[in-house]
Amino acid sequence: MKNKTFWIFALLTLSIISIAYSYTRFTDKEEKTVAECHEVPVSMESEFKPTIENKFKPETKAPKGMVWIPGGEFSMGSNVEDESLCSIKGVTKDAAPIHRVYVDGYYMDETEVTNEEFEKFVKATGYVTVAEQKPTKEEFPTASEADLITGSVVFTPTPSAVNLNNFLQWWRYEPGADWRHPEGPQSTIKGREKYPVVHVVYEDAAAYAKWAGKRLPTEAEWEFAARGGKTGNLYAWGNDLKPKGKFQANIYQGHFPIKDGDTGEDGFKGIAPTAQYAPNAYGLYDMAGNVWEWVNDWYSVDYYKSLAESGKTTKNPTGPSTYYDPNDPTEIKRVHRGGSFLCTDQYCTRYMVGTRGKGEIRSAANHVGFRCVKSK
């Protein structure tokens, strides 16, 4: 690999690219409104069977910062075949077909893990995240020594409108970017203690969870919790993107990905502190938007199909035995859930509760974090 292409290669292996965004073209023509772009599919209700919650409730109080999720049987997945409901068909088919799943009860963090929580872990253990480690020749055997620089990927708005089929236009590999320096070495988390920690890869999240006496959720646990006991809703809060005219999550409004294009109608331009919107029915905050969340399952594009074909309710699924993404067959990926502050009806609407993301396991960016669960 030539030196000039090394950082492009690094970008291509990162989670921000692994998320299967739709490719749409920017247009100056009048666009559909957000409401029009987020209509509930006519067939949605008929494909979802009722959620049956477990009745058991622990007698003891939930651990600090966590809530009890009762578990039970529910319909998992999505029948929305558009990435943004205003775009091309078929790109969310990895979240289909809808299938029945049962999960036992568990505790879940109310919010994504914050900077101050992650800092306690680092101070207690001396842990060094992957983004803070110098890339090795073993990982990138054809890269020059000069190109092996610590860092991570940071969203960088474009000066003007661009064609949305080339995501390399709004991402950059930033030397020195890590969880302590979200936008690069000149940035800091001072004053951002309550913001979700970012620039963490799967192994970073798993290490924190183990230290905290917790674990990462399975994909089924994550979706059951996000649905809040409701059946077949499009979002974690219901079927209306803006109930009573108010946004319920930190997502992107305005023209993406132009500098100052995010109008901040939801109250924030860029990442936000945790718990800035109403919780869902289980008391969980930010189950849509703000930052993507790592879960424990390997990503396989046809996993849901295999579960549905069994014709049975799958009990406590932990994901496929291996990863499989035909678009990047050599990349090792696990599932992301929930979308981020960069999700927009122009490009990626995977804040829809049944949809999925995916990330290469050692790739970090400034829109990916996590939360934990704990078994009873």
Side-chain angles (χ1 to χ4, degrees), residues 300-376:
S300 179
V301 69
D302 55 3
Y303 180 57
Y304 285 16
K305 183 174 182 289
S306 67
L307 293 183
E309 287 177 346
S310 74
K312 301 177 181 179
T313 297
T314 306
K315 186 173 182 179
N316 295 317
T318 56
S321 59
T322 190
Y323 52 91
Y324 173 60
D325 182 358
N327 294 320
D328 294 298
T330 63
E331 298 298 333
I332 305 173
K333 297 181 182 180
R334 292 188 187 260
V335 177
H336 290 158
R337 278 304 197 112
S340 79
F341 65 90
L342 295 175
C343 282
T344 163
D345 66 304
Q346 296 173 47
Y347 192 62
C348 164
T349 52
R350 296 207 173 187
Y351 44 80
M352 295 185 295
V353 70
T355 56
R356 313 170 76 198
K358 53 189 174 179
E360 196 278 327
I361 60 171
R362 284 178 60 83
S363 298
N366 69 327
H367 70 337
V368 181
F370 68 102
R371 79 177 72 210
C372 303
V373 298
K374 187 173 185 177
S375 300
K376 176 64 177 67

Coordinates of all heavy atoms in Angstrom, one line a residue, residues 300-376:
S300 N -24.1 -10.5 11.2 CA -24.3 -11.3 10.0 C -25.5 -10.8 9.3 O -26.6 -10.7 9.9 CB -24.4 -12.8 10.4 OG -24.7 -13.6 9.2
V301 N -25.4 -10.6 8.0 CA -26.4 -9.9 7.2 C -27.7 -10.8 7.2 O -28.8 -10.3 7.1 CB -26.0 -9.6 5.8 CG1 -25.7 -10.9 5.0 CG2 -26.9 -8.7 5.1
D302 N -27.6 -12.1 7.2 CA -28.7 -13.0 7.1 C -29.1 -13.7 8.4 O -29.9 -14.7 8.4 CB -28.4 -14.1 6.0 CG -27.2 -14.9 6.3 OD1 -26.5 -14.6 7.3 OD2 -26.8 -15.7 5.4
Y303 N -28.7 -13.2 9.5 CA -29.0 -13.8 10.8 C -30.5 -13.9 11.1 O -31.0 -14.9 11.5 CB -28.2 -13.1 11.9 CG -28.4 -13.7 13.3 CD1 -28.2 -15.0 13.6 CD2 -28.9 -12.9 14.3 CE1 -28.4 -15.6 14.8 CE2 -29.1 -13.4 15.6 CZ -28.9 -14.8 15.8 OH -29.1 -15.3 17.1
Y304 N -31.1 -12.8 10.9 CA -32.6 -12.7 11.2 C -33.3 -13.7 10.3 O -34.3 -14.3 10.8 CB -33.1 -11.3 10.9 CG -32.8 -10.3 12.0 CD1 -31.8 -10.5 12.9 CD2 -33.5 -9.1 12.1 CE1 -31.5 -9.6 13.9 CE2 -33.2 -8.2 13.1 CZ -32.2 -8.4 14.0 OH -31.9 -7.5 14.9
K305 N -32.9 -13.9 9.1 CA -33.5 -14.8 8.2 C -33.4 -16.3 8.7 O -34.4 -17.0 8.7 CB -32.9 -14.8 6.8 CG -33.5 -15.7 5.7 CD -32.9 -15.4 4.4 CE -33.5 -16.2 3.3 NZ -33.1 -17.7 3.4
S306 N -32.3 -16.6 9.3 CA -32.1 -17.9 9.8 C -33.0 -18.2 11.0 O -33.5 -19.3 11.2 CB -30.6 -18.2 10.2 OG -30.2 -17.3 11.2
L307 N -33.1 -17.1 11.9 CA -34.0 -17.3 13.0 C -35.5 -17.4 12.6 O -36.2 -18.3 13.2 CB -33.8 -16.1 14.0 CG -32.5 -15.9 14.7 CD1 -32.5 -14.7 15.6 CD2 -32.1 -17.1 15.4
A308 N -35.9 -16.6 11.7 CA -37.3 -16.7 11.3 C -37.6 -18.0 10.6 O -38.7 -18.6 10.8 CB -37.6 -15.6 10.3
E309 N -36.7 -18.6 9.9 CA -36.9 -19.8 9.2 C -37.1 -21.0 10.1 O -37.6 -22.1 9.8 CB -35.8 -20.1 8.2 CG -35.9 -19.2 7.0 CD -34.7 -19.4 6.0 OE1 -33.7 -20.1 6.4 OE2 -34.8 -19.0 4.9
S310 N -36.6 -20.9 11.4 CA -36.8 -21.9 12.4 C -38.2 -22.1 12.7 O -38.7 -23.2 13.2 CB -36.0 -21.7 13.6 OG -36.6 -20.6 14.4
G311 N -39.0 -21.1 12.6 CA -40.5 -21.1 12.9 C -40.7 -21.1 14.4 O -41.9 -21.3 14.9
K312 N -39.7 -20.9 15.2 CA -39.8 -21.0 16.7 C -39.5 -19.6 17.3 O -38.8 -18.8 16.7 CB -38.9 -22.0 17.2 CG -39.2 -23.4 16.7 CD -38.1 -24.4 17.3 CE -38.4 -25.8 16.8 NZ -37.4 -26.8 17.3
T313 N -39.9 -19.5 18.5 CA -39.5 -18.3 19.3 C -38.1 -18.6 19.8 O -37.9 -19.6 20.5 CB -40.4 -18.0 20.5 OG1 -41.7 -17.7 20.0 CG2 -39.9 -16.9 21.4
T314 N -37.1 -17.8 19.5 CA -35.7 -18.0 19.9 C -35.5 -17.5 21.3 O -35.8 -16.3 21.6 CB -34.7 -17.3 18.9 OG1 -35.0 -17.7 17.6 CG2 -33.3 -17.7 19.3
K315 N -35.0 -18.3 22.2 CA -34.8 -17.9 23.6 C -33.4 -17.4 23.8 O -32.4 -18.1 23.5 CB -35.1 -19.1 24.5 CG -35.0 -18.7 26.0 CD -35.5 -19.8 26.9 CE -35.5 -19.4 28.3 NZ -36.0 -20.5 29.2
N316 N -33.3 -16.2 24.3 CA -32.0 -15.5 24.7 C -31.0 -15.7 23.6 O -29.9 -16.2 23.8 CB -31.5 -16.1 26.0 CG -32.4 -15.8 27.2 OD1 -32.9 -14.7 27.3 ND2 -32.6 -16.8 28.0
P317 N -31.3 -15.2 22.4 CA -30.3 -15.3 21.3 C -29.0 -14.5 21.6 O -29.1 -13.4 22.2 CB -31.0 -14.8 20.1 CG -32.0 -13.9 20.6 CD -32.5 -14.5 21.9
T318 N -27.9 -15.0 21.2 CA -26.6 -14.3 21.5 C -25.9 -13.9 20.1 O -24.8 -13.5 20.1 CB -25.7 -15.1 22.3 OG1 -25.5 -16.4 21.7 CG2 -26.2 -15.3 23.7
G319 N -26.7 -14.1 19.0 CA -26.1 -13.7 17.8 C -25.6 -14.9 17.0 O -25.5 -16.0 17.6
P320 N -25.1 -14.7 15.8 CA -24.6 -15.8 15.0 C -23.2 -16.3 15.5 O -22.6 -15.5 16.3 CB -24.5 -15.2 13.6 CG -24.3 -13.7 13.9 CD -25.1 -13.4 15.1
S321 N -22.8 -17.4 15.1 CA -21.5 -18.0 15.6 C -20.3 -17.3 14.9 O -19.2 -17.4 15.5 CB -21.4 -19.5 15.3 OG -21.6 -19.7 13.9
T322 N -20.5 -16.6 13.8 CA -19.5 -15.8 13.2 C -20.0 -14.6 12.5 O -21.2 -14.5 12.4 CB -18.7 -16.7 12.2 OG1 -17.5 -16.1 11.8 CG2 -19.5 -17.1 11.0
Y323 N -19.2 -13.8 11.9 CA -19.6 -12.6 11.2 C -19.7 -12.8 9.7 O -19.0 -13.7 9.2 CB -18.6 -11.4 11.5 CG -17.1 -11.9 11.2 CD1 -16.6 -11.7 10.0 CD2 -16.3 -12.4 12.2 CE1 -15.3 -12.0 9.7 CE2 -15.0 -12.8 11.9 CZ -14.5 -12.6 10.7 OH -13.2 -13.0 10.4
Y324 N -20.6 -12.0 9.1 CA -20.7 -12.2 7.7 C -21.3 -10.9 7.1 O -22.4 -10.6 7.4 CB -21.5 -13.4 7.3 CG -21.8 -13.4 5.8 CD1 -20.7 -13.5 4.8 CD2 -23.1 -13.4 5.3 CE1 -20.9 -13.5 3.5 CE2 -23.3 -13.4 3.9 CZ -22.3 -13.5 3.0 OH -22.5 -13.5 1.7
D325 N -20.5 -10.2 6.3 CA -21.0 -9.0 5.6 C -20.5 -9.1 4.2 O -19.3 -8.9 3.9 CB -20.5 -7.7 6.2 CG -21.0 -6.5 5.6 OD1 -21.7 -6.6 4.5 OD2 -20.7 -5.3 6.0
P326 N -21.4 -9.4 3.2 CA -20.9 -9.6 1.8 C -20.3 -8.3 1.2 O -19.5 -8.4 0.3 CB -22.2 -10.0 1.1 CG -23.3 -9.5 1.9 CD -22.8 -9.6 3.3
N327 N -20.6 -7.2 1.8 CA -19.9 -5.9 1.3 C -18.5 -5.8 1.7 O -17.7 -5.2 1.0 CB -20.7 -4.7 1.8 CG -22.1 -4.7 1.2 OD1 -22.3 -5.0 0.0 ND2 -23.1 -4.3 2.0
D328 N -18.1 -6.4 2.9 CA -16.8 -6.4 3.4 C -16.5 -7.8 4.0 O -16.4 -7.9 5.2 CB -16.6 -5.3 4.5 CG -16.8 -3.9 3.9 OD1 -16.0 -3.5 3.1 OD2 -17.7 -3.2 4.4
P329 N -16.3 -8.8 3.2 CA -16.2 -10.1 3.7 C -15.1 -10.4 4.6 O -15.1 -11.4 5.4 CB -16.2 -11.0 2.4 CG -15.7 -10.1 1.4 CD -16.3 -8.7 1.7
T330 N -14.0 -9.6 4.6 CA -12.8 -9.9 5.4 C -12.8 -9.1 6.7 O -12.0 -9.3 7.5 CB -11.5 -9.6 4.6 OG1 -11.5 -8.1 4.3 CG2 -11.4 -10.4 3.3
E331 N -13.8 -8.2 6.8 CA -13.8 -7.3 8.0 C -14.6 -8.0 9.2 O -15.7 -8.5 9.0 CB -14.4 -6.0 7.7 CG -13.7 -5.1 6.7 CD -12.3 -4.8 7.2 OE1 -12.1 -4.7 8.4 OE2 -11.4 -4.6 6.3
I332 N -14.0 -8.0 10.4 CA -14.6 -8.6 11.5 C -15.6 -7.6 12.2 O -15.1 -6.6 12.7 CB -13.5 -9.1 12.5 CG1 -12.6 -10.0 11.8 CG2 -14.2 -9.8 13.7 CD1 -11.4 -10.4 12.7
K333 N -16.8 -7.9 12.2 CA -17.8 -6.9 12.6 C -18.8 -7.4 13.7 O -19.1 -8.5 13.7 CB -18.6 -6.4 11.4 CG -17.8 -5.7 10.4 CD -18.7 -5.2 9.2 CE -17.8 -4.6 8.1 NZ -18.6 -4.1 7.0
R334 N -19.1 -6.4 14.6 CA -20.2 -6.7 15.5 C -21.3 -5.6 15.3 O -21.1 -4.6 14.6 CB -19.7 -6.6 17.0 CG -18.8 -7.8 17.3 CD -18.4 -7.9 18.8 NE -17.5 -8.9 19.0 CZ -17.7 -10.2 19.5 NH1 -19.0 -10.5 19.8 NH2 -16.8 -11.0 19.8
V335 N -22.4 -5.8 15.9 CA -23.6 -4.9 15.7 C -23.5 -3.7 16.5 O -23.0 -3.6 17.7 CB -24.9 -5.7 16.0 CG1 -26.1 -4.8 15.9 CG2 -25.0 -7.0 15.2
H336 N -23.9 -2.6 15.9 CA -24.2 -1.3 16.5 C -25.7 -1.1 16.6 O -26.4 -1.6 15.7 CB -23.7 -0.1 15.7 CG -22.2 0.0 15.7 ND1 -21.5 0.7 14.7 CD2 -21.2 -0.4 16.5 CE1 -20.2 0.7 14.9 NE2 -20.0 0.0 16.0
R337 N -26.2 -0.4 17.5 CA -27.6 -0.1 17.6 C -27.9 1.4 18.0 O -27.1 2.0 18.7 CB -28.3 -1.0 18.6 CG -28.7 -2.4 18.1 CD -29.6 -2.3 16.9 NE -30.3 -3.6 16.6 CZ -31.6 -3.7 16.7 NH1 -32.3 -2.7 17.1 NH2 -32.1 -4.9 16.4
G338 N -29.0 1.9 17.5 CA -29.5 3.2 18.0 C -29.3 4.4 17.1 O -29.9 5.4 17.4
G339 N -28.4 4.4 16.2 CA -28.1 5.6 15.4 C -27.3 6.6 16.2 O -26.9 6.4 17.3
S340 N -27.1 7.8 15.6 CA -26.3 8.8 16.2 C -26.8 10.2 15.9 O -27.8 10.4 15.2 CB -24.8 8.7 15.8 OG -24.6 9.2 14.5
F341 N -26.0 11.2 16.4 CA -26.4 12.6 16.1 C -26.2 13.0 14.6 O -26.6 14.0 14.2 CB -25.5 13.5 17.0 CG -24.0 13.5 16.7 CD1 -23.5 14.4 15.7 CD2 -23.2 12.6 17.4 CE1 -22.1 14.3 15.5 CE2 -21.8 12.6 17.1 CZ -21.3 13.4 16.2
L342 N -25.6 12.1 13.8 CA -25.4 12.3 12.4 C -26.5 11.7 11.6 O -26.5 11.8 10.3 CB -24.1 11.8 12.0 CG -22.9 12.5 12.6 CD1 -21.6 11.8 12.2 CD2 -22.9 14.0 12.2
C343 N -27.5 11.0 12.2 CA -28.5 10.3 11.4 C -29.5 11.4 11.0 O -29.9 12.3 11.7 CB -29.2 9.3 12.3 SG -28.4 7.7 12.5
T344 N -29.9 11.3 9.7 CA -30.8 12.3 9.1 C -31.7 11.6 8.1 O -31.3 10.6 7.5 CB -29.9 13.3 8.3 OG1 -30.7 14.1 7.4 CG2 -28.7 12.7 7.6
D345 N -32.8 12.2 7.8 CA -33.8 11.6 6.9 C -33.2 11.7 5.4 O -33.8 11.1 4.5 CB -35.1 12.3 7.0 CG -35.1 13.8 6.6 OD1 -34.4 14.5 7.1 OD2 -35.9 14.1 5.7
Q346 N -32.2 12.5 5.2 CA -31.5 12.6 3.9 C -30.6 11.4 3.6 O -30.3 11.1 2.5 CB -30.7 13.9 3.8 CG -31.5 15.1 3.9 CD -30.5 16.3 3.9 OE1 -29.6 16.4 3.2 NE2 -30.7 17.2 4.9
Y347 N -30.2 10.7 4.7 CA -29.1 9.8 4.5 C -29.2 8.5 5.3 O -29.0 7.4 4.8 CB -27.8 10.5 4.8 CG -26.6 9.8 4.4 CD1 -26.3 9.5 3.1 CD2 -25.6 9.3 5.4 CE1 -25.2 8.8 2.7 CE2 -24.5 8.7 5.0 CZ -24.2 8.4 3.6 OH -23.1 7.8 3.2
C348 N -29.4 8.6 6.6 CA -29.4 7.4 7.4 C -30.4 7.6 8.6 O -30.3 8.5 9.4 CB -28.0 7.1 8.0 SG -28.0 6.0 9.4
T349 N -31.5 6.7 8.6 CA -32.5 6.9 9.7 C -32.5 5.7 10.6 O -33.5 5.2 11.0 CB -33.9 7.1 9.1 OG1 -34.1 6.0 8.1 CG2 -34.0 8.4 8.4
R350 N -31.3 5.2 10.9 CA -31.2 4.0 11.7 C -31.4 4.3 13.2 O -31.0 3.5 14.1 CB -30.0 3.2 11.4 CG -30.0 2.7 10.0 CD -29.2 1.5 9.7 NE -29.4 1.1 8.4 CZ -29.0 -0.1 7.9 NH1 -28.3 -0.9 8.6 NH2 -29.2 -0.4 6.6
Y351 N -32.1 5.4 13.5 CA -32.6 5.6 14.9 C -34.0 4.9 15.0 O -34.6 4.9 16.0 CB -32.7 7.1 15.2 CG -33.3 8.0 14.1 CD1 -34.6 8.0 13.9 CD2 -32.4 8.7 13.3 CE1 -35.2 8.8 12.9 CE2 -32.9 9.5 12.3 CZ -34.3 9.5 12.1 OH -34.8 10.3 11.1
M352 N -34.5 4.4 13.9 CA -35.7 3.6 13.9 C -35.4 2.3 14.7 O -34.4 1.7 14.5 CB -36.1 3.2 12.5 CG -36.6 4.4 11.7 SD -37.2 3.9 10.0 CE -35.8 3.2 9.2
V353 N -36.2 2.0 15.7 CA -35.9 1.1 16.7 C -35.5 -0.3 16.3 O -34.7 -1.0 16.9 CB -37.0 1.0 17.8 CG1 -38.3 0.3 17.3 CG2 -36.6 0.4 19.1
G354 N -36.1 -0.8 15.2 CA -35.8 -2.2 14.7 C -34.6 -2.3 13.8 O -34.3 -3.5 13.4
T355 N -34.0 -1.2 13.4 CA -33.0 -1.3 12.4 C -31.6 -1.5 13.0 O -31.4 -1.4 14.3 CB -32.9 0.0 11.6 OG1 -32.8 1.1 12.4 CG2 -34.2 0.1 10.8
R356 N -30.6 -1.8 12.2 CA -29.3 -2.3 12.7 C -28.1 -1.4 12.1 O -28.3 -0.9 11.0 CB -29.1 -3.7 12.4 CG -30.2 -4.6 12.7 CD -30.0 -6.0 12.1 NE -29.1 -6.8 12.8 CZ -28.4 -7.9 12.4 NH1 -28.6 -8.3 11.1 NH2 -27.6 -8.5 13.1
G357 N -27.0 -1.4 12.8 CA -25.8 -0.9 12.3 C -24.7 -1.9 12.5 O -25.0 -3.0 13.0
K358 N -23.5 -1.7 12.0 CA -22.4 -2.7 12.2 C -21.1 -1.9 12.2 O -21.0 -0.8 11.6 CB -22.5 -3.6 11.0 CG -22.5 -2.9 9.6 CD -22.8 -3.9 8.5 CE -22.9 -3.1 7.2 NZ -23.2 -4.0 6.0
G359 N -20.1 -2.5 12.9 CA -18.8 -1.9 13.0 C -17.7 -2.8 13.1 O -17.8 -3.9 13.7
E360 N -16.6 -2.5 12.4 CA -15.4 -3.3 12.5 C -14.9 -3.2 13.9 O -14.9 -2.1 14.5 CB -14.3 -2.8 11.5 CG -13.2 -3.7 11.2 CD -12.1 -3.7 12.3 OE1 -11.9 -2.6 12.9 OE2 -11.5 -4.7 12.6
I361 N -14.5 -4.3 14.5 CA -14.4 -4.4 16.0 C -13.3 -3.6 16.6 O -13.3 -3.2 17.8 CB -14.3 -5.9 16.5 CG1 -13.0 -6.5 15.9 CG2 -15.5 -6.6 16.2 CD1 -12.7 -7.9 16.4
R362 N -12.3 -3.2 15.8 CA -11.2 -2.3 16.3 C -11.2 -1.0 15.7 O -10.1 -0.3 15.6 CB -9.8 -3.0 16.1 CG -9.6 -4.2 17.1 CD -8.3 -4.9 16.8 NE -7.1 -4.0 16.9 CZ -6.5 -3.7 18.1 NH1 -7.0 -4.1 19.2 NH2 -5.5 -2.9 18.1
S363 N -12.4 -0.5 15.3 CA -12.5 0.8 14.7 C -13.3 1.7 15.5 O -14.4 1.3 16.0 CB -13.2 0.7 13.3 OG -12.4 -0.1 12.4
A364 N -12.8 3.0 15.7 CA -13.5 3.9 16.5 C -13.8 5.2 15.8 O -13.3 5.5 14.7 CB -12.6 4.3 17.7
A365 N -14.8 6.0 16.3 CA -15.1 7.2 15.7 C -15.8 8.1 16.7 O -16.2 7.6 17.8 CB -16.1 7.0 14.5
N366 N -16.1 9.3 16.4 CA -16.7 10.2 17.4 C -18.2 10.2 17.5 O -18.8 11.1 18.0 CB -16.1 11.7 17.3 CG -16.7 12.3 16.0 OD1 -16.9 11.7 15.0 ND2 -16.9 13.7 16.1
H367 N -18.8 9.1 16.9 CA -20.2 9.0 17.1 C -20.6 7.6 17.5 O -21.7 7.1 17.3 CB -20.9 9.4 15.8 CG -20.8 8.4 14.7 ND1 -19.7 7.6 14.5 CD2 -21.5 8.1 13.6 CE1 -19.8 6.8 13.4 NE2 -20.9 7.2 12.9
V368 N -19.6 6.9 18.2 CA -19.9 5.5 18.6 C -19.5 5.4 20.1 O -18.4 5.8 20.5 CB -19.1 4.5 17.8 CG1 -19.4 3.1 18.3 CG2 -19.4 4.6 16.3
G369 N -20.5 4.9 20.9 CA -20.2 4.6 22.3 C -20.9 3.3 22.7 O -20.9 2.4 22.0
F370 N -21.4 3.2 24.0 CA -22.0 2.0 24.4 C -22.7 2.2 25.8 O -22.5 3.2 26.4 CB -20.9 0.9 24.6 CG -19.9 1.1 25.7 CD1 -20.0 0.4 26.9 CD2 -18.9 2.0 25.6 CE1 -19.2 0.7 28.0 CE2 -18.0 2.3 26.6 CZ -18.1 1.6 27.8
R371 N -23.5 1.2 26.1 CA -24.1 1.1 27.5 C -24.0 -0.4 27.9 O -23.8 -1.2 27.1 CB -25.5 1.7 27.6 CG -26.6 0.8 27.1 CD -27.9 1.5 27.3 NE -28.1 2.6 26.4 CZ -28.9 3.6 26.7 NH1 -29.5 3.8 27.8 NH2 -29.0 4.6 25.8
C372 N -24.2 -0.6 29.2 CA -24.0 -2.0 29.7 C -25.3 -2.6 30.3 O -26.3 -1.8 30.6 CB -23.0 -2.0 30.8 SG -21.3 -1.4 30.3
V373 N -25.3 -3.9 30.5 CA -26.4 -4.6 31.2 C -25.8 -5.5 32.2 O -24.6 -5.7 32.3 CB -27.2 -5.4 30.2 CG1 -27.9 -4.5 29.1 CG2 -26.4 -6.5 29.5
K374 N -26.7 -6.0 33.1 CA -26.2 -6.9 34.2 C -27.3 -7.9 34.4 O -28.5 -7.5 34.5 CB -26.0 -6.1 35.5 CG -25.4 -6.9 36.6 CD -25.0 -6.0 37.8 CE -24.3 -6.8 38.8 NZ -23.9 -5.9 40.0
S375 N -27.0 -9.2 34.4 CA -28.0 -10.2 34.6 C -28.4 -10.2 36.0 O -27.7 -9.8 36.9 CB -27.4 -11.6 34.2 OG -27.0 -11.6 32.8
K376 N -29.6 -10.7 36.2 CA -30.2 -10.8 37.6 C -29.4 -11.8 38.4 O -29.1 -12.9 37.9 CB -31.6 -11.2 37.6 CG -32.3 -11.4 38.9 CD -32.3 -10.1 39.7 CE -33.0 -10.3 41.1 NZ -32.3 -11.2 42.0

